[in-house]
Amino acid sequence: MIAIQFVTSPAHGTAVATEVSARPGKSLMEAAVAADIEGIAADCGGAMTCATCHVYVREPWASRLPPPKPEEMAMLEFAAMPRRSNSRLSCPIMLTAALAGITVDLPESQY
Ligand code: FES
C-alpha cells in the first residue's frame, strides 16, 4: 500500500493532514475519492475534463512524476485556484512505490 498525505488549505484555518493508503496502480484521485477527501471533487471521474482534482504536489514527489501531458496542461488552465509550478491534476497520477509518502496540498476550492 502507498501512503498519501492530503493537506487542507490554510485558507480554511489550520492546515490539517489526512493520511490515506491506496494500492499501487490506483490514481491519486481515486485514492482521494475512496477516502472521501474533502477538496477533491473529481466531477468527471478521471476523464481529465473537469480540473476539479487539482492538487499541489510537494517535493520530492513532484520531481518523481512524469511530466504532464498536453491535455493535462490544457485542463490545468481551467483550475479554479491559481496554478503553481507544482500544480497537477490528481487523476492521471498513478501510484507507484516511488511515490510512497506523497504529500499534496489541496487548493482552497475546486470551483
Ligand atoms: S477528475 Fe476530472 S480532471 Fe481529474
Side-chain angles (χ1 to χ4, degrees):
M1 298 292 269
I2 308 291
I4 307 157
Q5 298 265 351
F6 293 96
V7 183
T8 59
S9 168
H12 296 298
T14 306
V16 176
T18 301
E19 185 165 317
V20 165
S21 292
R23 293 188 185 284
K26 291 276 184 197
S27 73
L28 184 59
M29 176 278 282
E30 289 171 323
V33 169
D36 284 329
I37 295 294
E38 255 185 71
I40 298 289
D43 288 342
C44 76
M48 220 187 294
T49 57
C50 73
T52 63
C53 65
H54 178 206
V55 293
Y56 303 111
V57 183
R58 292 189 186 179
E59 291 295 351
W61 302 278
S63 298
R64 295 178 190 164
L65 296 175
K69 294 189 172 158
E71 53 267 38
E72 182 182 351
M73 294 289 281
M75 193 48 59
L76 278 167
E77 295 294 325
F78 295 95
M81 289 294 113
R83 188 172 170 179
R84 302 178 193 158
S85 59
N86 63 341
S87 283
R88 297 297 299 260
L89 296 181
S90 57
C91 62
I93 296 177
M94 294 300 140
L95 296 168
T96 65
L99 296 179
I102 185 171
T103 301
V104 301
D105 293 288
L106 298 165
E108 182 181 340
S109 172
Q110 296 287 5
Y111 298 101

